[in-house]
Amino acid sequence: MVGPAARRSSRGYPGFVDATEDLFGDVNVCLQREGGYDDGEGWLFKDRDEAYHLQREYFLKLKERVRFFDLIARRREEQADQVPAGGLDLDRVDEPQLLLRGGAGGLGNMHFQTATVRNPRFAKRGRAGIDAHFLLELRLLADLGLVGLPNAGKSTLLGAISRAQPRVGHWEFTTLTPTVGTILTGISGDSFTVADIPGIVAGASTEGRGLGLDFLRHVERSGGLVFIVALDRPDPVADLQILLQEMGPSRMRDKNVLVVATKADVDDAEQRYNALAQFAQPWKTVPCCAQKAQNVQAVINAMAEIAH
């Protein structure tokens, strides 16, 4: 997550709007127009000062008309520079998004020429631009996202199938930040990427518990989801049900799904695996022991099937 500040005083695109193919994010903007002038003000005078012109009836009438003109211009600017309350989703590189249009240009002296004032010696300044602070939430793009309860073996698995070096420990919430690993599928050089996010706990979506849902944006655009379920847990089926409930149907829509049963070397693993595989149908379920590098290649092959 980054928070660059951009100052806009003219038309155009802020430099950081041009996203690259792998970097997209949500944009939340706080707008503030500074250095402007009130409706009917903002005059520039030559030869004579403002006090002189304020004593002239033609200028007072003109100023009243300009006040209405400024009111309309200000309302148009406010409408043009509105950003949705929920932010913007910059999910395509081929469609630049105009975030701030900026203030309109000034009016030269010839805009105020009349039958009685042939050579006006005054003009209007351009309207102020906008100071805006942009909060960009980066979404890591990966072909697959690893989703599991804390200490389910996600990081150990990622380290076993790729060259990524995630933090591994025997306590919950070892993973505090997302990690992306690249997996090669053969000598041809074909590869896919996998993102490991912090573990999800029951009540995360309704009570804000844990860390996982704060990072789900990193797997929302992935082509597939890999649910990591540990077979050393009392009820792996219940664990998978928790993950499905916390993910929700919207995040699951149009996703390829694979279930990987980790820690398959523990006692009673076969019985628990069979129950898990039956519940997970029609999704494919693959057992493995990442710590001992057992059946890891089968996991890679299954991941490759849903990644492409």
Side-chain angles (χ1 to χ4, degrees), residues 175-188:
T175 301
L176 299 178
T177 58
T179 303
V180 177
T182 300
I183 302 173
L184 299 177
T185 58
I187 60 175
S188 62

Side-chain angles (χ1 to χ4, degrees), residues 222-224 249-256:
S222 62
S250 61
R251 295 189 181 94
M252 295 286 296
R253 187 177 297 115
D254 299 328
K255 298 287 188 184
N256 297 322

